[in-house]
Amino acid sequence: MKIISAPDYAGMSRKAANLLSAQVILFPRSVLGLATGSTPLGVYQQLIEWYGKGDIDFSQVSSVNLDEYCGLPGSHPQSYRKYMEEHFFAHVNIDPAAAHLPDGMAPDLEEECRRYDGLIAALGGIDMQLLGLGHNGHIGFNEPGEDFNKTTHVVELESKTRQANARFFDSPDEVPRQAVTMGIKAIMQAKKILLVASGESKAEILYRAFFGPVYPAVPASILQLHPDVTVVADEAALQVIREREAL
Ligand code: F6R
């Protein structure tokens, strides 16, 4: 595992965007695994800026997102499809047909999970997976206690996760109770992992994820066993690791 530090959120975003952009420049047909949430917003903004300057071309890239809420159509302002369109897809030249998310409205969600796993396999797997880190150690929507051996599946969202996401909805009750997420096994099959973390509120869990025991209580801890993980974090998020590991 490599840890790359940045002074602040903007620096973290630029460094992570640099790694993604190097991936796309070196391998224009890359399959990128993408994430939503607050942390990657600066990464997407930076990539859009470099695309605008002609530095990156996404025309041959495919993408697969980690997760999507169940019961929200792609047009819903809080769906992850909408987030990706607003914050990234609409601003770069990725082929809309190559920008994939699970369909949370699929009539048969189990079938949708199988379709999504089949799609990732048909694309040849994920070359670089961008991840955020939940306050409880979740990655994607794989909550504590989740089986490490799952591919894409339907999850019941923990109340802590629903509360954390409630800020994006008009009321907490509107936050969906289920989501489709790539499982830990599917994430671990990505060739490279790029995890971004920012802010003091992530410092303890970042430490536990990468320096604590590998166990399902901290889903991200499994990443310690992945052969190619890069963590890009700002100083606030690295605080506990610095204190306890003399980084
Ligand atoms: C989003 C996702 C989640 C987030 C995590 C951190 O697609 O899979 O695991 O990465 O909840 O979210 P933020 O970045 O908002 O702290």
Side-chain angles (χ1 to χ4, degrees):
M1 184 227 335
K2 285 192 197 72
I3 299 183
I4 297 179
S5 65
D8 52 19
Y9 178 75
M12 177 215 75
S13 301
R14 268 201 311 281
K15 285 189 174 167
N18 253 308
L19 296 175
L20 275 164
S21 116
Q23 171 72 31
V24 172
I25 291 168
L26 287 168
F27 308 103
R29 301 177 68 83
S30 288
V31 179
L32 301 181
L34 299 178
T36 59
S38 324
T39 319
L41 284 171
V43 177
Y44 295 136
Q45 259 169 29
Q46 185 61 78
L47 290 174
I48 292 166
E49 191 185 318
W50 287 334
Y51 166 73
K53 291 181 174 162
D55 292 342
I56 324 174
D57 174 17
F58 292 95
S59 62
Q60 297 180 75
V61 164
S62 304
S63 69
V64 281
N65 263 76
L66 281 169
D67 42 18
E68 177 62 284
Y69 286 123
C70 294
L72 297 187
S75 56
H76 188 285
Q78 296 311 331
S79 74
Y80 286 175
R81 159 71 65 188
K82 189 78 177 172
Y83 167 113
M84 288 307 300
E85 275 164 13
E86 257 177 37
H87 298 293
F88 189 52
F89 297 154
H91 309 283
V92 296
N93 65 339
I94 191 166
D95 176 357
H100 307 280
L101 282 90
D103 177 5
M105 293 294 284
D108 181 341
L109 290 170
E110 297 303 326
E111 176 54 33
E112 174 58 10
C113 294
R114 284 192 292 275
R115 180 194 73 83
Y116 207 66
D117 285 331
L119 169 78
I120 296 171
L123 289 170
I126 296 168
D127 293 306
M128 184 177 271
Q129 175 68 56
L130 176 63
L131 292 177
L133 177 64
H135 289 104
N136 59 6
H138 73 223
I139 46 176
F141 269 127
N142 297 284
E143 302 285 11
E146 191 65 272
D147 189 337
F148 279 163
N149 209 23
K150 282 192 181 166
T151 53
T152 304
H153 60 288
V154 178
V155 285
E156 305 294 323
L157 300 183
E158 273 196 357
S159 66
K160 209 173 168 186
T161 299
R162 292 184 65 235
Q163 275 162 26
N165 290 357
R167 65 190 190 276
F168 302 116
F169 289 81
D170 291 337
S171 86
D173 284 349
E174 281 180 35
V175 185
R177 288 168 192 280
Q178 287 185 316
V180 174
T181 185
M182 276 169 52
I184 300 278
K185 185 175 178 184
I187 293 170
M188 287 295 280
Q189 283 168 349
K191 289 161 203 139
K192 294 176 200 154
I193 304 269
L194 173 59
L195 183 137
V196 286
S198 170
E200 205 186 323
S201 72
K202 295 288 172 76
E204 179 68 32
I205 195 63
L206 192 63
Y207 170 79
R208 291 181 64 203
F210 290 97
F211 294 88
V214 175
Y215 64 157
V218 179
S221 64
I222 189 76
L223 299 173
Q224 292 179 39
L225 306 184
H226 191 283
D228 193 339
V229 176
T230 305
V231 174
V232 183
D234 62 18
E235 281 303 328
L238 286 172
Q239 201 173 292
V240 175
I241 296 180
R242 287 221 190 275
E243 279 163 22
R244 297 187 199 159
E245 294 295 322
L247 183 72

